[in-house]
Amino acid sequence: MLFVTMGFQVEGSQVAALDSSVAITGSIDHLEDAPGTMVVQDGEKRQLTEQLLSITSKSIYFLGLFLMIGWALLWQIVRTYSFELRKKYVLYGRFFQILHLLGILTILFIYLEASSFYEILDKLVLLIGTNIGKLLFASFLISIIGLIFLFKNQLFNYFWVILIGIIKGISGYIDEMNSANYILVGLNIIQLFVVSFWAAGIVFILLFWRKQRLYIKYFLRFFNKAAFLSILLLIILCSGRVYLLSPNIDFIGTTWGIALLVNAFVIIILLFLRAVIWKRRKKGKVVADLITIFKLEFMLLLILTIFIASFVTLNLQSNLPSIILMI
């Protein structure tokens, strides 16, 4: 049985109790008099509620993950800015780390479905006994360490970003590490960094443009080019994934194919917005004239995050890691 959480796979009958599927109980005698339909409807409502909660928790997790990693990457630039800006930047970074941890805890709470503290402990022991459970525990521990020490030492920042990226990158392939998967893991890690960098850059601009316009103007000189190159890199990474995965899936007309088309459509919109920003910057437009476009990019980030969370929750392609959808 598969226990899917955050795009991860946990195999083995020991964790069957962690499955999020809804069981409709009742004997035949209870279903003879017409209540059968009501039981099914109640089960469907309960399943829908659980799916909505799962999508919400995973959306929080992925958004926190992208911003947490991206914030650490951008720190190498922001640490040269004013003391006031750096102080607020670190506070926002702590918030994004807490958001990521909250997403992990919420997902665990939903999937464990335990009625007592001791039952939670029993199921956690079973989960940690699996490979993916150990990886999840390591991710949680590293996130806690980052919450304490991140932004205080440049060498630690580099080490932490690389380590958390590797752990997240290999999560979906923990049980299938053949030669092709090693390539996919590498693409997965790079893709995670690229998406996180773009997401953090957009949020940084939106959070600081009103009171720190001079620094945002300076930041845009670098970020506009870097964001455009990041989108092009995402296209290349997506093409590499399709090339590696297409021998195993007939993706035209499948759920995976639809996911690729949706994400490709989002990328096309991003390219268009980047072109508009580039053109307006050349005309001498100030940050205030571009802020609407950055807000649209942030909305695309939220849509993409919710889309990933929904895809993972519905387990439409559970043999692929969730981050793979970020093309």
Side-chain angles (χ1 to χ4, degrees), residues 261-278:
L261 290 175
V262 170
N263 283 269
F265 179 71
V266 172
I267 287 182
I268 292 174
I269 297 177
L270 287 177
L271 282 174
F272 173 76
L273 293 178
R274 283 286 116 200
V276 172
I277 292 175
W278 195 293

Side-chain angles (χ1 to χ4, degrees), residues 124-144:
L124 279 177
V125 170
L126 290 176
L127 179 60
I128 294 176
T130 63
N131 287 334
I132 196 61
K134 295 173 183 177
L135 201 62
L136 180 61
F137 178 75
S139 174
F140 184 80
L141 181 61
I142 293 172
S143 298
I144 291 291

Side-chain angles (χ1 to χ4, degrees), residues 230-249:
S230 296
I231 295 173
L232 293 180
L233 182 57
L234 287 177
I235 295 175
I236 296 173
L237 292 172
C238 172
S239 301
R241 287 186 181 280
V242 172
Y243 175 78
L244 292 172
L245 292 170
S246 57
N248 302 320
I249 54 174

Side-chain angles (χ1 to χ4, degrees), residues 80-252:
T80 62
Y81 293 174
S82 68
F83 173 78
E84 180 184 357
L85 189 151
R86 284 186 281 120
K87 184 178 179 180
K88 291 184 178 180
Y89 186 91
V90 171
L91 288 177
Y92 281 120
R94 303 296 185 209
F95 172 76
F96 297 143
Q97 289 176 289
I98 293 173
L99 189 67
H100 171 254
L101 290 172
L102 179 63
I104 293 179
L105 293 175
T106 306
I107 289 171
L108 286 175
F109 177 79
I110 292 174
Y111 277 98
L112 289 177
E113 293 184 335
S115 59
S116 68
F117 175 75
Y118 295 103
E119 189 177 354
I120 291 178
L121 288 180
D122 289 339
K123 291 184 177 182
L124 279 177
V125 170
L126 290 176
L127 179 60
I128 294 176
T130 63
N131 287 334
I132 196 61
K134 295 173 183 177
L135 201 62
L136 180 61
F137 178 75
S139 174
F140 184 80
L141 181 61
I142 293 172
S143 298
I144 291 291
I145 295 174
L147 187 61
I148 300 173
F149 298 105
L150 202 61
F151 307 117
K152 294 182 179 180
N153 180 276
Q154 186 175 356
L155 184 61
F156 175 83
N157 289 347
Y158 287 135
F159 175 77
W160 184 88
V161 168
I162 293 174
L163 188 59
I164 197 74
I166 291 174
I167 289 178
K168 302 297 184 181
I170 67 176
S171 297
Y173 302 96
I174 190 67
D175 295 318
E176 303 179 58
M177 296 297 290
N178 56 43
S179 57
N181 288 128
Y182 281 121
I183 298 176
L184 287 172
V185 167
L187 293 176
N188 205 27
I189 295 172
I190 298 173
Q191 196 164 311
L192 176 59
F193 286 152
V194 171
V195 173
S196 298
F197 169 81
W198 165 68
I202 295 299
V203 173
F204 175 69
I205 293 170
L206 293 177
L207 289 176
F208 288 93
W209 76 277
R210 289 185 180 275
K211 295 184 178 181
Q212 301 288 346
R213 295 197 182 189
L214 180 63
Y215 284 105
I216 293 300
K217 182 179 179 181
Y218 177 77
F219 176 77
L220 280 175
R221 296 176 184 175
F222 160 78
F223 181 72
N224 281 334
K225 296 179 181 179
F228 183 77
L229 292 176
S230 296
I231 295 173
L232 293 180
L233 182 57
L234 287 177
I235 295 175
I236 296 173
L237 292 172
C238 172
S239 301
R241 287 186 181 280
V242 172
Y243 175 78
L244 292 172
L245 292 170
S246 57
N248 302 320
I249 54 174
D250 183 15
F251 68 92
I252 301 298

Side-chain angles (χ1 to χ4, degrees), residues 24-45:
I24 303 175
T25 59
S27 64
I28 296 178
D29 294 336
H30 292 115
L31 298 178
E32 287 179 350
D33 301 325
T37 303
M38 295 180 62
V39 172
V40 172
Q41 290 177 348
D42 290 341
E44 290 177 348
K45 290 180 180 179

